[in-house]
Amino acid sequence: MKIKPGSSILPIILITLALVLVGCAPKTVTRGGTLAVCPPEFLHAPLYVSPTNNDHTSLTPILDWDYPEVHFPADSENLCHPEKYRITYKKGPLFMEAGGAFVDGDQTSYQMPALQAGAEYTWSVSSMTLDANGPFAGIWRFFVGENCETGPLTAPILLQPFNGATLNHLVPTLVWQSSTTCIPSGYHVDIATDPQFANIVFNTETPDPLQTFQVPNPLSNCTRYYWRVGALMTYQVQPFSETFSFRVATEGCEAEPGAGSIVGKVWRDQCSVPHDGSIPSPMPAGCTAVSDGTIADGIRQAGEFGIADVIVRVGAGDCGASTPLGLTITDSSGDYYLHGLQGGTYCISIDSSENPIWLGGPINGWWTQPQAAYGTPIASFEIDLASDQDLPGVDFGWQFDNSDEPVSTNTLGGVIYHDLCAIPIGVGYNGPLLDGCVQHDGYITGDWQRQEGEAGIPGVTVTAHENMCSNPVSQTTVTDAQGHFSFNLASGIAHCIIVDSLSGANAPVLQYGVWSINPANPVYEYSFNFNGTGQTDLEYFSFAWDYAQLPDFPTGEPTPLFEFPIFTPGFDLNCREGPAIAWPILAKVKSGMQIPVLMRTVNNDWLQLKPAGMLNKADFPGFEYFREDLRCWVMSSNGKLEGSLDGVEAYFGPSDPTAQPTQVACANLAESACKAQPTCEWIEPLVTVGYCTDK
């Protein structure tokens, strides 16, 4: 029977996206003084309380956070809180199932619905006022259920890389899925060059029950590897998973004998005729008739975009009884790649019910290609692949439900423009800020104000989502020659506008650079409630993009954008005024926080952080509370570093706070070095060549 959408039904897995609280009464903020709503520029990151990072919880945990004491106005005793908080949670290990809610800004807890026992989840909270998001507070993880205490456990299910895959990178990430309803203490991972595991090149026991593992060192190129995973209970390895293999092969490797590929796209098929209306005659282009209405024709047309982050499964044998080989996920353009398959029969399939974010589940749409999948949740192709055959065009068409009653819609537009700041991004600039530039979140960027000469950026893909940012794409458009875009949005509901600078469509246009308003995040999300009246405002949204190559658009081969590495304290750390324990303590950074590294010592043993927006008053024992430009130092060995320190500015100042600065000989310094020394002065006479001298 056809699974048809209903206008008032949500997928079961997305019921939690409703913007209301369920369960227990929320925790309410209680503070002295007048409690007002913080303006957007006064927003701070929430302070997560529980579940703590990597905590184990019940099936219905309560998310709990605090908010710093923020004074508004700044010189008063009055405090403020956000207008609301946005809660987002996702289920691992693929994190393609998401839920969330909005709660009022005077509430600092959220009762979760019932979750899956044995699964891992992530959660995050954003402060919001007037639909503007405050600083990012990071993502914490928790595990649901009881610890595994009796066995034997069932074997994990391997997911990625799929069995037999050929990868074009040397540091793969392994992904598997727990098959138990309890939480193991960790997992044992083996990687070998033979299927009997006689020649193990890497093995480890993970310290936590995460179901992903990134190989820590590059593997040998042009080599096939075999891997397996076993759950740990009381330090004993339970039954191993099946054995999967993958080959790492970058340019220069000879192809394996018999290896071929299957490649395809998952795209959004569109038809302008409502599905449950009368069948028109003649039929509009892009549409076709079926037994119960009109649907898209299953043929990809110009302007029908790919759908990212869709799970595509591959099995060996015919689709009636195939052996699972794992999966892959569509990229930002909706493309998927199955490289390394030997000749044989394969079943390539997508289950809409396990893709609730980007497909909306089987009750929010239907398959148009393959045509036989219409009315069923699972679409599949049975492929007989010849030895050495590369088969493109195994495409899946999905149409979102268009059967709802007409709603009031209004045109609303925006602009994406080039926010000029004549200071290159990520070069450790320490000079004065120039006109059009601001400094925040460890970056110097454009000032978020569109000025004369700041041109719109054409060709940028923008998506709209109804209610929550994690909901399926409702509309897609591309900016015109002036950088403008517009949507015809339904009134009276919430919407989210997203621009992903790293997507396959946008990377060639926007890279390399950052969003001026939130430079640490390549994805720009803007949530708002819309009650329009039909008018068109071409610049209601204004998204500022600061290119790394300034002041012009990038030309030729771009230089990669420098991204600050991230330091995560392993425990609560003292953060000091300078890079030595002799310096006074300015703040205490908390275990699990994710803080950008702004500077390093020459031997990388101390790192300078900017943690002010993540802390509260009690974390500042010896410093003015909430000084936004606070920077302080921690020992690098007391936490985890993600990313490379290459390109991070090196510190050459004194390690001892009582040391006197070394006297510099100014006479021999070049212009740039001279101007950088406080005791030197650069002289530029009218006739002779400039020179450096003592002040």
Side-chain angles (χ1 to χ4, degrees), residues 88 161 209 228 462 532 645 688:
T88 302
R228 62 185 181 182
V462 187
L645 291 172
T688 60

Short mmCIF file of all heavy atoms in Angstrom, two decimals, residues 88 161 209 228 462 532 645 688:
data_model
loop_
_atom_site.label_atom_id
_atom_site.label_comp_id
_atom_site.label_asym_id
_atom_site.label_seq_id
_atom_site.Cartn_x
_atom_site.Cartn_y
_atom_site.Cartn_z
N THR A 88 19.29 21.21 20.33
CA THR A 88 19.45 20.26 19.22
C THR A 88 20.10 19.00 19.75
O THR A 88 21.07 19.07 20.51
CB THR A 88 20.32 20.85 18.09
OG1 THR A 88 19.74 22.06 17.63
CG2 THR A 88 20.43 19.88 16.93
N PRO A 161 34.21 2.27 6.44
CA PRO A 161 33.94 2.19 5.00
C PRO A 161 33.21 0.89 4.65
O PRO A 161 33.37 -0.11 5.36
CB PRO A 161 35.33 2.21 4.36
CG PRO A 161 36.27 2.66 5.45
CD PRO A 161 35.66 2.22 6.73
N PRO A 209 32.65 4.35 24.90
CA PRO A 209 31.85 3.57 23.94
C PRO A 209 31.47 4.29 22.66
O PRO A 209 30.46 3.96 22.04
CB PRO A 209 30.61 3.20 24.76
CG PRO A 209 30.49 4.27 25.78
CD PRO A 209 31.86 4.77 26.08
N ARG A 228 38.14 -5.13 12.12
CA ARG A 228 37.06 -5.73 12.88
C ARG A 228 36.97 -4.99 14.22
O ARG A 228 37.93 -4.33 14.65
CB ARG A 228 37.30 -7.22 13.12
CG ARG A 228 38.56 -7.52 13.93
CD ARG A 228 38.82 -9.01 14.05
NE ARG A 228 40.02 -9.28 14.85
CZ ARG A 228 40.51 -10.50 15.08
NH1 ARG A 228 39.92 -11.57 14.54
NH2 ARG A 228 41.60 -10.66 15.84
N VAL A 462 21.43 28.75 -1.46
CA VAL A 462 20.79 29.04 -0.18
C VAL A 462 19.61 28.09 -0.02
O VAL A 462 18.85 27.88 -0.97
CB VAL A 462 20.31 30.50 -0.10
CG1 VAL A 462 19.82 30.84 1.30
CG2 VAL A 462 21.41 31.46 -0.54
N GLY A 532 4.63 37.56 7.32
CA GLY A 532 4.70 38.58 6.28
C GLY A 532 3.32 38.98 5.78
O GLY A 532 2.31 38.36 6.07
N LEU A 645 49.12 23.16 14.66
CA LEU A 645 49.64 24.42 15.15
C LEU A 645 50.45 25.16 14.09
O LEU A 645 50.91 26.28 14.34
CB LEU A 645 50.51 24.19 16.40
CG LEU A 645 49.75 23.75 17.66
CD1 LEU A 645 50.72 23.36 18.75
CD2 LEU A 645 48.82 24.85 18.14
N THR A 688 66.87 60.91 1.59
CA THR A 688 67.63 59.68 1.80
C THR A 688 66.70 58.51 2.09
O THR A 688 65.51 58.66 2.30
CB THR A 688 68.60 59.85 2.98
OG1 THR A 688 67.83 60.16 4.15
CG2 THR A 688 69.59 60.96 2.70
#
